[in-house]
Amino acid sequence: MTFDYYDTLSTAQQRVYRMSDGVAALRVREPHALAPHVEALRLALASGERALLEDATARLGDALCERLDVAAAKVEVLEVRPSSETGELHGLYTQAPGHRPRIQVWMRTARHGRVVAFRTYLRTFLHELCHHLDFLLLELPHSFHTEGFFKRESSLFHQLVPRLNTSSSRRRPRSSRV
């Protein structure tokens, strides 16, 4: 399946789109070893302190990039999301010749200035990181939002925040009273 904008792309861009769409997952070496970075990010976000969150996010990004054998992007955490009539900007990936690629993530909602939820923040960061990985790891000349792109984002998230094992989280049977 392609998204609606596929038909507006050039033939070369459509080829890149299909290449991107064909990669559904990125495998991180020893993702469980990143748990302390994920927890530090969660705690920093809960503190509401921008500088702490920026440091924790950058450390997680550096560790992920190291495990994927790519150069890390510069991470910048900003306060309140910019907004317009069309919505809020959650994150942004930029690259310019001669400059280190940059990931920007906003930590507070535009409307109420509240710190965003942990999963939302982490997914936003991973979304922007996937743009970075499209260029450096997959060596794509463009980074398109494809089904494959969103699956890669999800694959990273689930390696960092594993799903609960349903067999171990079942309730124990209640003992009957006599």
Side-chain angles (χ1 to χ4, degrees), residues 1-3 6 13-26 134 138 140 144-152:
M1 181 190 105
T2 58
F3 292 124
Y6 177 83
Q13 289 172 326
Q14 287 178 352
R15 186 174 63 255
V16 173
Y17 183 105
R18 290 189 305 272
M19 290 167 59
S20 171
D21 206 30
V23 181
L26 299 172
D134 278 0
L138 301 181
L140 298 173
F144 294 117
H145 289 144
T146 66
E147 276 192 81
F149 177 91
F150 292 110
K151 288 177 181 178
R152 291 191 296 280

Side-chain angles (χ1 to χ4, degrees), residues 92-143:
L92 183 65
Y93 177 76
T94 54
Q95 59 175 341
H99 293 88
R100 186 175 173 196
R102 180 173 63 174
I103 294 172
Q104 294 174 295
V105 185
W106 282 266
M107 64 180 282
R108 295 180 184 278
T109 63
R111 187 170 208 178
H112 299 290
R114 293 187 186 128
V115 173
V116 298
F118 167 71
R119 288 175 174 263
T120 301
Y121 179 86
L122 180 57
R123 279 193 175 272
T124 300
F125 171 69
L126 294 174
H127 178 99
E128 302 309 328
L129 182 65
C130 279
H131 285 300
H132 182 64
L133 298 173
D134 278 0
F135 292 111
L136 271 64
L137 183 65
L138 301 181
E139 299 179 344
L140 298 173
H142 303 286
S143 179

Side-chain angles (χ1 to χ4, degrees), residues 22-23 27 37 40 48 52 60 67 74 76 86 94 104 110 118 124 133 138-139 142 144 156 160 164 174:
V23 181
R27 297 290 170 224
H37 292 294
L52 288 174
L60 176 59
R67 282 177 164 58
K74 178 181 169 132
E76 185 177 1
T86 58
T94 54
Q104 294 174 295
F118 167 71
T124 300
L133 298 173
L138 301 181
E139 299 179 344
H142 303 286
F144 294 117
L156 290 175
L160 296 175
L164 292 177
R174 294 183 192 181

Side-chain angles (χ1 to χ4, degrees), residues 83-95:
S83 66
S84 68
E85 306 80 44
T86 58
E88 297 180 11
L89 184 60
H90 296 218
L92 183 65
Y93 177 76
T94 54
Q95 59 175 341

Side-chain angles (χ1 to χ4, degrees), residues 4-80:
D4 290 340
Y5 74 90
Y6 177 83
D7 293 330
T8 67
L9 301 175
S10 70
T11 303
Q13 289 172 326
Q14 287 178 352
R15 186 174 63 255
V16 173
Y17 183 105
R18 290 189 305 272
M19 290 167 59
S20 171
D21 206 30
V23 181
L26 299 172
R27 297 290 170 224
V28 177
R29 287 189 317 268
E30 302 178 26
H32 60 278
L34 297 173
H37 292 294
V38 174
E39 181 61 11
L41 187 145
R42 188 186 67 74
L43 293 172
L45 183 64
S47 79
E49 295 293 325
R50 190 206 60 77
L52 288 174
L53 183 57
E54 184 172 85
D55 183 62
T57 307
R59 287 176 189 264
L60 176 59
D62 291 350
L64 274 165
C65 287
E66 179 183 329
R67 282 177 164 58
L68 293 166
D69 296 319
V70 298
K74 178 181 169 132
V75 171
E76 185 177 1
V77 174
L78 302 162
E79 286 282 345
V80 178

